[in-house]
Amino acid sequence: MSTAPIQSKVRVIQAQPYELAFEPASTALLIIDMQRDFIEPGGFGAMLGNDVSLLRRAIEPIGALLSAFREAGLLVLHTREGHRPDLSDAPPSKLARGRGETKIGDVGPMGRILIRGEAGHDIIPELYPLAGEPVIDKPGKGSFCQTDLELILKNRGIKTLIVCGVTTEVCVHTTVREANDRGFECLVPADCAASYFPDFHETALRMIAAQGGIFGWVSDSASVIAALS
Ligand code: C5J
C-alpha cells in the first residue's frame, strides 16, 4: 500500500469575511440573467432610462471566469428570467407590479418583454452558453423557484456555487439566499455582479458577507481564477 500523502483537492479563494475552501470538482459557475433586454443599449432596461453601462462592466470579468471554468472542465450554468408566451406561469402580482405603462409580455425594443423565445430574453452573445451548459429558465427572481436547478446541482455533486450576473440586489441576491438555505456555499465575485443602482450593489454584497458570512462569501474574479489555476 502506498504511503504517499493523499494530495488534497481542496483549494482556497481569498474572500470576505474569510477565505473559502472548495473542491473544484464540486464547484459550479452560475451566471444569472445576463440577458439582452437587461444589458444591451437598445434593450428594455435602457428604454426604461437605466444606465446599462453599469451592468455591462460585469461582462468582461464574467467572461474571464467563464473561460477559466470551461478550461478546467467544470460545470457552468446560466439562468434567464422570463415567462411562457401565454403568461400562464407569471403570477398576477408580478404582472401588475409597478403600475408602469410597459408590462411583462408587451412588445419592447427586442420583442415581447421577458418572454421566452424573444430576442431580448436571450443571453448576450459575449457570454452565450455552449452546447451542454444547462440554461435554467426561471419565472421568478430566485433561480431555485419552480426550476430544476437544485436537482441538476445535486445530481452533479455540486456543493459550492460561484454566483455572477445581474442584478446584484435582485436575482443574484435572491438566488444566493435560496442556495444558502439549501446547503450550498455561495461566493459572489464583486466585479462579476452589477446593478443599475451602485449603492444597492455595494450594500447587497456587504449583506452577503456580514455576520461571519450569513449568506456566503464575497471576492473578485482574479481571486477565483487564481484559486482555480
Ligand atoms: C434581475 C430584475 N435579473 N432586476 N431581474 O435581477 O428584475
Side-chain angles (χ1 to χ4, degrees):
M1 208 170 89
S2 166
T3 52
I6 297 166
Q7 287 287 320
S8 169
K9 293 179 188 150
V10 177
R11 314 251 183 127
V12 164
I13 303 173
Q14 295 308 319
Q16 296 295 328
Y18 51 84
E19 71 282 356
L20 171 65
F22 74 106
E23 288 194 23
S26 60
T27 299
L29 179 66
L30 180 60
I31 304 178
I32 308 285
D33 298 0
M34 292 299 285
Q35 292 164 255
R36 297 184 63 194
D37 249 340
F38 293 135
I39 289 160
E40 290 198 347
F44 178 58
M47 189 191 109
L48 292 179
N50 293 303
D51 176 2
V52 293
S53 71
L54 293 166
L55 267 52
R56 294 187 65 78
R57 60 174 66 150
I59 297 174
E60 203 177 308
I62 296 176
L65 216 43
L66 184 57
S67 298
F69 268 74
R70 284 173 175 166
E71 278 165 25
L74 304 181
L75 180 62
V76 174
L77 308 99
H78 309 255
T79 71
R80 301 184 295 201
E81 181 179 351
H83 298 280
R84 293 169 179 262
D86 65 3
L87 295 175
S88 56
D89 60 350
S93 59
K94 184 177 182 184
L95 295 175
R97 190 76 46 82
R99 296 184 180 172
E101 278 184 17
T102 316
K103 300 183 298 301
I104 294 168
D106 289 351
V107 176
M110 285 193 249
R112 292 180 67 204
I113 295 155
L114 287 190
I115 299 299
R116 294 176 192 154
E118 300 288 341
H121 172 265
D122 209 355
I123 292 170
I124 56 170
E126 296 92 324
L127 303 175
Y128 209 75
L130 293 181
E133 291 177 352
V135 178
I136 309 292
D137 277 320
K138 60 186 183 68
K141 307 303 181 196
S143 302
F144 290 83
C145 178
Q146 305 291 350
T147 73
D148 54 8
L149 174 61
E150 186 171 9
L151 190 58
I152 293 173
L153 296 176
K154 293 263 160 81
N155 288 343
R156 290 284 298 256
I158 298 299
K159 296 176 182 156
T160 306
L161 293 173
I162 308 299
V163 187
C164 302
V166 296
T167 62
T168 318
E169 77 280 11
V170 184
C171 292
V172 172
H173 222 268
T174 307
T175 296
V176 167
R177 288 170 182 238
E178 289 179 328
N180 179 60
D181 279 349
R182 286 164 173 79
F184 296 97
E185 298 201 306
C186 294
L187 179 143
V188 179
D191 52 341
C192 294
S195 170
Y196 298 124
F197 307 97
D199 52 331
F200 289 178
H201 170 78
E202 294 301 331
T203 303
L205 294 176
R206 282 176 52 213
M207 288 168 71
I208 289 170
Q211 301 181 73
I214 194 152
F215 296 125
W217 286 259
V218 175
S219 183
D220 54 70
S221 56
S223 299
V224 180
I225 292 167
L228 280 176
S229 55

